[in-house]
Amino acid sequence: MGRGNGYDVKDIKLAAAGRNRIEWAKKDMPVLRSIGERFAKEKPLKGIRIAACLHVTTETAALAQVLSAGGAKVSLCASNPLSTQDDVAASLVRHDGIGVFAIKGENRNTYYSHILKCLAIAPHMTMDDGADLVSVVHTKKKEYLKGMIGGTEETTTGVIRLAAMGEKGVLRYPIVAVNEAKTKHFFDNRYGTGQSTLDGILRATNRLIAGSCFVVAGYGWCGRGLAMRAKGMGARVLVTETDPRIAKSVRTVRPFVEEYLLRDGRAIHILAEGRLINLAAAEGHPSNVMDMSFANQALSAEYLARHGKTLEKKVYTVPDAIDREIARLKLNATGVRIDRLTPEQKKYLASWEMGT
Ligand code: ADE
């Protein structure tokens, strides 16, 4: 069953719990809050319909509220069948009037039917976390291509897939790669994933990390962050690729933990069906770091609303001015002041005649 409109009657308590948690998260999202205040006055997204396929968390709720405050009509579905926080979904529907098509633990069919329901608003923009909306719009729902201004993409994997589409000339609208912003991947991918993945592993397994052999498959910003945190907790960390080998039998030993027995008697525990354990068993990255990621989403949506029609059908990095503005707002909110160059320093940098 999709949530959408009409869901709200029975789940008053669930929605109230969601609202409290969303408010709690927003306290740690000063950059997004300040963008929301400006959006509420200037309405840069007036008349824009946005379909968002993101993890339905408290932080995503904060982003959805900001987009709505900016004048957009927002429709939301999950970017992973296990990552939805049901109280948040209920709250968005009941208190914010946002259509949410997501249920934690939904199966593959429901997941895709929810994507279709989310797209039914006939969006001008897509917001993806893994390129699922772009993929469906380019394959099964091409009728939505006509009104599309542009889209954004949150993840490394999504950006790689979309850039490949751009290079092959099959991408039919411009995409802003939010993942590529420095204020996104240096913080979200490295520190957010590092912390939230360990959080998910600990909640799912309750195992001691110290002394364990911790294998990280892949060494991008996410892998590096996780390796750093696991090492910090005393694990022996190896970086490699996975090969789960022969599965003899499977049983669920705890929520989000499935056991595969190997022939030699050892067991491999697969967490959250091999999906995102940080969002399935824990709550995803902390609000403080999602603040900058979703500030990039909000400002990229504003940028697309202004300039999308003049852009080519390819993947763009987030404009540097947006990245810098987010860094400035974050430092400002944290009370950090940075020095400016003195006139003497500026003169020296602009010259080549003087020695040190
Ligand atoms: N991706 C990782 N953590 C997230 C969060 N808290 N909310 C939305 N998307 C996320």
Side-chain angles (χ1 to χ4, degrees):
M1 185 190 68
R3 286 249 157 72
N5 310 318
Y7 150 79
D8 57 348
V9 191
K10 288 185 232 118
D11 289 282
I12 295 172
K13 273 198 193 149
L14 192 66
R19 184 153 73 165
N20 286 341
R21 290 201 317 110
I22 294 166
E23 289 308 312
W24 177 260
K26 279 158 59 179
K27 287 185 208 293
D28 255 351
M29 304 182 85
V31 177
L32 196 63
R33 265 199 335 262
S34 68
I35 293 170
E37 283 158 18
R38 179 171 67 76
F39 274 19
K41 284 189 212 126
E42 297 176 8
K43 303 281 177 203
L45 302 175
K46 189 159 179 252
I48 302 277
R49 295 187 296 274
I50 301 179
C53 182
L54 301 170
H55 303 295
V56 183
T57 63
T58 50
E59 293 77 21
T60 298
L63 171 64
Q65 289 176 348
V66 165
L67 299 173
S68 299
K73 179 168 183 215
V74 182
S75 173
L76 181 61
C77 63
S79 56
N80 185 296
L82 298 183
S83 62
T84 299
Q85 297 172 6
D86 287 323
D87 58 339
V88 169
S91 176
L92 280 175
V93 172
R94 184 174 170 81
H95 300 297
D96 299 286
I98 291 173
V100 184
F101 304 95
I103 296 178
K104 188 171 180 97
E106 61 197 6
N107 64 25
R108 195 181 159 76
N109 286 345
T110 311
Y111 177 78
Y112 278 102
S113 75
H114 279 164
I115 287 185
L116 296 181
K117 285 184 182 163
C118 180
L119 284 171
I121 58 162
H124 301 109
M125 271 183 215
T126 54
M127 240 174 218
D128 260 314
D129 186 309
D132 281 354
L133 287 181
V134 171
S135 163
V136 170
V137 169
H138 280 69
T139 51
K140 299 189 199 84
K141 286 284 165 192
K142 292 189 183 157
E143 63 267 32
Y144 294 131
L145 284 169
K146 212 165 86 200
M148 207 67 87
I149 300 173
T152 63
E153 170 55 50
E154 173 82 4
T155 64
T156 313
T157 311
V159 170
I160 292 170
R161 293 173 71 194
L162 294 166
M165 286 175 78
E167 274 153 31
K168 282 191 195 132
V170 293
L171 188 63
R172 301 279 300 279
Y173 56 92
I175 300 289
V176 177
V178 165
N179 185 67
E180 304 310 296
K182 294 189 181 71
T183 46
K184 200 275 185 181
H185 67 264
F186 283 157
F187 298 89
D188 171 316
N189 299 25
R190 178 166 41 178
Y191 300 117
T193 306
Q195 174 167 319
S196 63
T197 304
L198 269 166
D199 184 9
I201 293 171
L202 292 174
R203 291 197 208 191
T205 66
N206 196 26
R207 297 278 290 270
L208 185 69
I209 302 291
S212 67
C213 175
F214 202 101
V215 181
V216 179
Y219 205 58
W221 287 111
C222 295
R224 274 176 240 189
L226 182 55
M228 268 161 59
R229 296 281 88 86
K231 185 162 182 275
M233 291 181 78
R236 187 162 70 87
V237 181
L238 303 175
V239 178
T240 180
E241 294 296 330
T242 47
D243 177 7
R245 310 268 173 95
I246 333 113
K248 244 173 73 185
S249 62
V250 186
R251 65 187 183 111
T252 301
V253 287
R254 289 166 61 96
F256 306 113
V257 184
E258 273 163 14
E259 185 173 75
Y260 289 72
L261 292 177
L262 300 183
R263 287 202 185 112
D264 64 7
R266 288 181 302 156
I268 287 182
H269 293 129
I270 303 286
L271 306 185
E273 303 167 12
R275 297 180 185 277
L276 300 170
I277 189 65
N278 60 337
L279 283 137
E283 293 167 55
H285 305 355
S287 316
N288 195 307
V289 83
M290 292 311 294
D291 186 24
M292 287 190 287
S293 307
F294 283 168
N296 273 290
Q297 287 282 8
L299 294 188
S300 296
E302 181 183 32
Y303 175 78
L304 281 169
R306 286 216 180 107
H307 306 288
K309 290 197 173 122
T310 63
L311 298 179
E312 288 174 46
K313 292 164 185 169
K314 61 179 199 181
V315 176
Y316 288 83
T317 49
V318 173
D320 200 48
I322 290 184
D323 214 355
R324 283 178 182 278
E325 172 64 2
I326 290 169
R328 191 190 66 77
L329 288 170
K330 190 68 170 177
L331 289 175
N332 210 23
T334 327
V336 175
R337 302 281 172 269
I338 48 174
D339 290 343
R340 287 173 195 275
L341 293 175
T342 62
E344 223 181 357
Q345 286 170 322
K346 274 191 194 156
K347 194 170 152 207
Y348 178 73
L349 285 174
S351 71
W352 51 270
E353 299 94 339
M354 265 188 285
T356 46

